[in-house]
Amino acid sequence: TAEEADLYKNIEKKLRNSENTKQIFEAEGLSKFPILFELNGEEFKMEADRIVFDHKEKIIYPYDLKVTNFVEDFLFNSFLKRKYYIQSSLYKFGIMSWCLTNEYKDYKVENLAFIAADQTNFLDPIIYRTTDKHYEQGFEGFKFGNTQYRGIMQILEDIKTSKETNVWSMSAYNIRNKG
């Protein structure tokens, strides 16, 4: 609708003018940049909302924008629930792979940062930068509270099992244990 379009234009305006996000959009970088890469024989595609280059320090800062109604509680309500820990690990890995094929071989890639923008455009955006520990957990999985979160390597193993058996309607665990 026209009302939604206006809201998103205003959110973009706030992102470009907010003290904690405007430098991301003013800095040299790429927006909506697609990257193809491979991990354990599987092909992946990602599209970073923003990649910022610090050529002096040779650092790349990746960002992904999330418009949410959980700006203040983004880490708990979205990062875990929507499995953004997997996205953060894949994006960093994808950008590192991309760097190896071009002039950024000697650049360090920082962990993905999420820019959480308020879907009502009332609250200021907040930046949540993931850590090296998040990067590892995205690949290996982790336990938080009473919940076990599966990582990329476990998911890729499940895909491999399903490809080998051509069974896609059952978990790899049940396939291996004969249902």
Side-chain angles (χ1 to χ4, degrees), residues 62-80:
Y63 295 92
D64 196 65
L65 175 62
K66 301 296 183 193
V67 178
T68 178
N69 59 346
F70 298 110
V71 171
E72 294 287 335
D73 298 324
F74 175 80
L75 185 64
F76 183 74
N77 283 309
S78 296
F79 189 73
L80 296 174

Side-chain angles (χ1 to χ4, degrees), residues 4 17 22 32 57 105 126 128 131 142 161 171:
E4 287 175 328
N17 293 307
K22 71 179 180 181
K32 303 302 275 178
E57 299 296 325
K105 288 180 180 87
I126 296 177
Y128 292 92
T131 65
F142 60 98
T161 299
S171 71

Side-chain angles (χ1 to χ4, degrees), residues 86-147:
I86 290 174
Q87 178 190 2
S88 69
S89 298
L90 283 173
Y91 274 37
K92 180 176 180 178
F93 183 87
I95 294 168
M96 289 188 309
S97 297
W98 173 77
C99 286
L100 294 175
T101 63
N102 58 51
E103 68 269 22
Y104 303 108
K105 288 180 180 87
D106 55 344
Y107 279 57
K108 176 186 180 205
V109 178
E110 281 293 329
N111 293 300
L112 181 68
F114 291 97
I115 303 169
D118 181 23
Q119 72 181 15
T120 65
N121 206 28
F122 178 74
L123 300 172
D124 284 334
I126 296 177
I127 300 171
Y128 292 92
R129 181 162 300 280
T130 58
T131 65
D132 289 341
K133 184 175 181 180
H134 292 131
Y135 179 71
E136 292 170 18
Q137 289 173 328
F139 275 97
E140 302 301 326
F142 60 98
K143 188 171 185 171
F144 183 75
N146 293 326
T147 304

